[in-house]
Amino acid sequence: MPAPQTRPAYEAARFLGAAGLLMLALAGAETFLDPYKIQILNLIAINIILALSLNLIYGFTGMFSLGHAGFMAIGAYVCSLCVLTPAYKETMWILEPIIWPFSHMELGFFPAVIAGGICAALAGLLIALPVLRLGGDYLGIATLGFSEIIRVLITNATPITNGSLGIKGIPKFSTLWWNYGWLLFTLYFVVSLLRSNSGNVLKAIRDDQIAAKTMGINTFRQQALSFTVGAFFAGVGGALTACLISTIDPKMFSFLLTFNVLMIAVAGGLGSITGSVVAGIIITVLLEWLRIVEEEINLGFILIPGIPGMRMVIFSMALMLIIIFRREGIMGMRELAWDTPLRLWRRFAKTSAPPPPAKNFSIQEAETMPRSQAAIPGENEFILELRKAGMRFGGVTAVKDLNMSVKTGCIAGFIGPNGAGKTTVFNLISGFYKPTQGRILFQGADITGLPPHLVCKRGIARTFQNIRLFPTLSALQNVLVGFHVRQKSQWWMPGLQLPASRREYAAMREAAMRLLKRLGLDDEACEAAGSLPYGKQRRLEIARALATEPRFLLLDEPAAGMNPYETQDLMELIQDIRQDFNLTILLIEHDMKVVMGVCSNIWVLEYGICIADGPPEAIRNDPKVIEAYLGEEYMEYA
Amino acid sequence: MFDWLHSLYQTSALPGMNLSQLVQHGFNALTLGSLYGLIAIGYTMVYGILRLINFAHGDIFMLGAYFVFFTTVAFMPAGVACFFIAAAFYVIHGIVRGFRRRPPLPVLGLLLLFPVCGLYFTFLAPASFQLPWPLALITAIAAASFCGIVVDRIAYRPLRAAPRISALISAIGISFFIESLSVVLFTGLPRPVLQPDWLMTPMLLAEGSVRILPLSLVVPAITLVLVLGLLFIINRTKPGLAMRAISRDIETTRLMGVSVDKIIALTFALGSALAAASGIMWALRYPQIHPYMGITPGLKAFIAAVFGGIGSIHGAMIGGLILGAMEIIIIAVYPQLSGYRDAFAFTLLILILLFKPTGLMGAKLEDKI
């Protein structure tokens, strides 16, 4: 469900109120609690920061990263080197003297933490550029390898890091105030980012990378950004840890540390911010509380010996149980909102309270969208031209010597038996494959070999044969992702809640709602796309494609799986949107009624070769087409 | 122009190396490579079938070393051994004949006999009773492959339908579980391993100028035998055929009436047996064992599997040999770099993934649009 759109002033007041309450609580804790309990409170704050940063990388962007210990180590070492006095450093480095400039560096605590975060972010960027191309578990292993490399480097770079002896006597700057201050900032930044369209984009990449690319998203860039931001906060967490426990050494930053953070993020629910917060509190407290199993217990009459190492046994068992029996964690992908207790109470009391409104915003009366301009005079007659385009996969020629010119403003069709290479042509046009021969021209410009997101930016949108929506995103969010390509705000702007980006997002929501209404999906705006019925998913995919403001729309079997009534509606829809949005449409379809009904020009493909093209009547009577595809039966039917 | 090459040569240990050292380094490389290769095969088999990095594989390697420690050095070996032999027997029987079916009487007798012997050895005769070497090895390997099956059963099978990443997190969880449980059971202290004398007496070749350990010959030989045996099982037997089928398409194989879960269990058993064999030989080569000893060799062997092309058994072995050789050569030539030893493999991994993600012999997997 999309977050309810509330007034900024109200939201800010709520945030300030919560911050004030937290400050009161901190002041109380500082006065009344003993140092041990304060230490636990500090650990909670740091663990939540770390879990949030991992959740941003993994839970929201879908990149499985096991490199957190490495980023933390960088943050911790940089921060420690910055805050220690030169004189102290001179006496500490006994194996080998510390080298310039590290020996003379001295910074205050706040800039030192920032420096730690920035160095970790740079390292994150450095590792992201090469390894983000890898998917899933390979990425996990590569980042794990990276964090091991960092550890080896730290152990061996004695003149900088004091080697395996580590650094001792780091001033304990991390007070409750600093830690919770950083926690608030992290929360504020991450929440604001994820509630904006940047959040929708990241989640879209998590759900379906290929579809995200066709929506004009530079997935690589977005992933790298998310990874870098995550690494920054991990570095900050490491820096705060160093100044909290005052001793660091390379052994501390082993895989076990990453495991702890992963555990919190998974237990809280990947993709849930409040989940990370709740799990951060629970697990940190439990970890401390579990220390009793490692100490001996005196029950008065019997002495139970403590079992060293038992804590980790219970801990890893807990992770296994969570992942096997409750994979989605405490919160799943849901969030605790301010009104959650109220809703729970309602459910508990079983009052017949009215269901929460499906839509949280007002829409102006439906008006057709006068967005697109009339055809520009002097524009090319042909919007898309393929010149001898071809594609070979190894020894298989999927498409060969295909020449086609699609007239601006028409609806064109693409037919042919299964495996004829129709979808391959779509993939060539939309940039997923680079043609092995020939050229593709769009509006007179060469787009051969352009990556999908740039093709989308030029004004080509597409749908997929087997629907590729972002299933966990709502219908509205799916459409909003489409708007991303024309969006002006930079990715970091929403993180700081700049007014311009807020206004833009509000406008985009309005436009997205209008688009949904236009396609008859406004009642489902807040439902998860994956739970919509089939026909509506097809419509939503078209709506999402239209959101990128295309000039040219590729529809891959839009009528597949539809009943005759739905097909009839679809035909009308296709003709209407061509009119309203001033589009050129190229569609692949097996339903001859659709193809013959709406297309003004048809290409027939067989074994990757175009065997005929022309208006429907000519195709219907072409003997070659009848033999290859339509068949004698169709003749009788026609 | 080639000054830097020359200075590279000058700073290395090459100028001062003699033939004997070269031969020794060669054998060390071969030994280490064989050990990596054996572990890598287990990774590659499981990955080929389940598309899952079995993080616990390195811990099975560790368990293998511990089991052989218990069966040769420590207390109550025979009792533990008997339990494990019985359990392994039961599981293998179950895989071949079906768990529901009652084993025939002689088998049942054996199954009952072993625990009785186990009880006897454990509680009535807990003296320092040592198993003879061959029996100790077989027991340890059987025990480790049993553990492999258990890992699959409790950590992976419930998650077959789940997203791959969930299974991966589960793998990390079970790996930590085994390690921390081993710390509790075996304590975290490193333990010495008994090395038979005949393996450790250096042989003199070429009139005494070259000294090599018999162990450096035995390890590659055993590795060769094990790999050939595995290849025979995979390529010439019916369960092997089923394994290959599952790696292509698990659902279709299920529809063909193959009991997929059993074949997967068998895969885990075989992979774990090889890892245990490797762990045992590792413990003979570097005679100190501790609960975390499996992590680094495990990760490196995974890198070897990726290098060779994940899913390919030949590839895993070749990758292991190359990785082992590289490590030994770099350290032999540049002893001053030995502190960075563990970083080489990971750097190699990142390079492979960048330039040839399919590895040497791997097949390309692509997302269908």
Side-chain angles (χ1 to χ4, degrees), chain A residues 58 64 66 127 129-131 133-134 136-142 144-146 148-149 152-153 156-157 210 255-256 259 262 266 270 307-310 312-314 316-317 319-320 323-324 327 423 427 432-433 462 464-466 468, chain B residues 47 51-53 55 154-155 158-159 161-178 180-181 183-184 292 299 302-303 306 310 338-343 346-347 349-350 353-355 357 366-369:
Chain A
Y58 177 28
F64 188 56
L66 293 174
I127 184 76
L129 293 181
V131 302
R133 286 192 313 184
L134 312 166
D137 31 17
Y138 275 124
L139 179 63
I141 284 286
L144 170 62
F146 157 75
E148 286 295 307
I149 292 176
V152 172
L153 289 181
N156 286 285
I210 287 174
F255 185 49
L256 188 64
F259 179 67
L262 183 69
V266 170
L270 291 162
I307 311 161
M310 202 59 200
M312 279 316 296
V313 176
I314 297 176
S316 43
M317 213 146 73
L319 178 73
M320 299 276 311
I323 202 76
I324 290 175
R327 223 160 49 216
T423 299
N427 286 340
F432 281 105
Y433 300 150
R462 73 172 284 184
F464 292 91
Q465 191 173 349
N466 21 7
R468 277 177 175 271
Chain B
Y47 196 94
R51 304 271 174 273
L52 166 77
I53 300 171
F55 264 94
I154 62 176
L159 294 170
R164 270 165 60 193
I165 298 290
S166 298
L168 194 59
I169 295 173
S170 176
I172 296 174
I174 192 85
S175 160
F176 267 99
F177 177 71
I178 297 175
S180 44
L181 192 66
V183 171
V184 170
Y292 296 107
L299 281 174
F302 177 75
I303 294 168
V306 173
I310 198 116
S338 57
Y340 294 93
R341 180 175 177 161
D342 289 345
F346 290 110
T347 318
L349 172 77
I350 291 175
L353 291 177
L354 284 184
F355 296 108
E366 245 189 271
D367 243 2
K368 191 165 161 48
I369 300 169

Side-chain angles (χ1 to χ4, degrees), chain A residues 337-507:
Chain A
W338 301 85
D339 57 349
T340 305
L342 203 68
R343 238 184 305 145
L344 283 180
W345 167 249
R346 277 205 201 112
R347 199 196 291 172
F348 178 71
K350 282 192 182 156
T351 49
S352 53
K359 301 188 289 277
N360 305 302
F361 28 80
S362 62
I363 329 141
Q364 270 91 41
E365 262 316 291
E367 78 257 60
T368 39
M369 305 199 11
R371 270 189 316 138
S372 317
Q373 320 74 9
I376 305 152
E379 202 178 3
N380 298 39
E381 190 193 351
F382 298 117
I383 191 163
L384 181 86
E385 286 176 77
L386 266 62
R387 294 196 184 149
K388 289 200 144 233
M391 184 72 205
R392 295 164 61 90
F393 298 100
V396 184
T397 308
V399 178
K400 198 182 169 197
D401 287 337
L402 183 64
N403 284 310
M404 64 189 278
S405 308
V406 184
K407 268 206 196 100
T408 312
C410 75
I411 299 180
F414 221 165
I415 61 174
N418 286 326
K422 302 179 301 280
T423 299
T424 308
V425 174
F426 269 31
N427 286 340
L428 286 177
I429 298 173
S430 56
F432 281 105
Y433 300 150
K434 193 175 177 324
T436 44
Q437 65 168 101
R439 314 222 65 81
I440 300 169
L441 303 176
F442 180 66
Q443 293 183 317
D446 195 344
I447 59 162
T448 322
L450 230 54
H453 64 271
L454 290 183
V455 171
C456 173
K457 217 165 194 168
R458 293 280 176 101
I460 298 180
R462 73 172 284 184
T463 65
F464 292 91
Q465 191 173 349
N466 21 7
I467 306 171
R468 277 177 175 271
L469 287 167
F470 306 119
T472 64
L473 267 61
S474 71
L476 180 67
Q477 285 169 324
N478 266 279
V479 176
L480 281 169
V481 169
F483 279 108
H484 168 81
V485 68
R486 310 282 169 215
Q487 167 188 334
K488 289 194 184 63
S489 321
Q490 293 297 312
W491 65 274
W492 49 268
M493 287 181 176
L496 302 174
Q497 298 272 22
L498 294 189
S501 73
R502 294 185 73 113
R503 272 199 301 275
E504 191 184 20
Y505 190 47

Side-chain angles (χ1 to χ4, degrees), chain B residues 44-61:
Chain B
T44 223
M45 280 167 69
V46 170
Y47 196 94
I49 285 182
L50 296 179
R51 304 271 174 273
L52 166 77
I53 300 171
N54 178 11
F55 264 94
H57 199 59
D59 302 303
I60 299 288
F61 163 91

Side-chain angles (χ1 to χ4, degrees), chain B residues 18 24 45 63 69 82 99 118 255-256 302-303 368:
Chain B
N18 59 28
Q24 262 168 32
M45 280 167 69
L63 286 180
F69 166 75
C82 289
F99 284 96
L255 291 175
M256 295 298 111
F302 177 75
I303 294 168
K368 191 165 161 48

Side-chain angles (χ1 to χ4, degrees), chain A residues 156-175:
Chain A
N156 286 285
T158 315
I160 303 171
T161 61
N162 205 16
S164 52
L165 291 183
I167 303 177
K168 292 183 186 68
I170 305 161
K172 290 194 178 185
F173 283 127
S174 295
T175 57

Side-chain angles (χ1 to χ4, degrees), chain B residues 99-156:
Chain B
F99 284 96
R100 297 264 167 78
R101 209 175 285 176
R102 187 179 61 82
L105 272 181
V107 180
L108 204 63
L110 266 177
L111 277 180
L112 288 176
L113 180 70
F114 274 112
V116 170
C117 295
L119 284 176
Y120 171 75
F121 288 131
T122 314
F123 294 109
L124 299 177
S128 163
F129 177 91
Q130 281 186 11
L131 286 181
W133 260 98
L135 196 57
L137 291 183
I138 290 168
T139 314
I141 289 176
S145 53
F146 177 69
C147 292
I149 294 172
V150 171
V151 165
D152 170 52
R153 183 71 192 82
I154 62 176
Y156 303 144

Side-chain angles (χ1 to χ4, degrees), chain A residues 39 72-85 88-89 92-93 107-109 112-113 161-162 165-175 238-250 252-253:
Chain A
Q39 182 82 352
M72 285 178 70
I74 292 174
Y77 269 91
V78 169
C79 175
S80 318
L81 283 170
C82 287
V83 295
L84 286 174
T85 60
Y88 184 77
K89 279 187 262 192
M92 255 289 284
W93 269 245
L107 284 176
F109 177 56
V113 173
T161 61
N162 205 16
L165 291 183
I167 303 177
K168 292 183 186 68
I170 305 161
K172 290 194 178 185
F173 283 127
S174 295
T175 57
L240 294 175
T241 314
C243 290
L244 180 69
I245 58 178
S246 87
T247 306
I248 52 174
D249 65 73
M252 209 179 101
F253 299 98

Side-chain angles (χ1 to χ4, degrees), chain A residues 287 289-297 303-315, chain B residues 179-188:
Chain A
L287 263 180
W289 185 69
L290 273 178
R291 281 189 197 281
I292 56 165
V293 301
E294 299 198 354
E295 287 155 13
E296 31 176 52
I297 309 165
L303 201 69
I304 303 171
I307 311 161
M310 202 59 200
R311 206 158 63 112
M312 279 316 296
V313 176
I314 297 176
F315 200 52
Chain B
E179 281 156 24
S180 44
L181 192 66
S182 308
V183 171
V184 170
L185 293 181
F186 313 145
T187 77

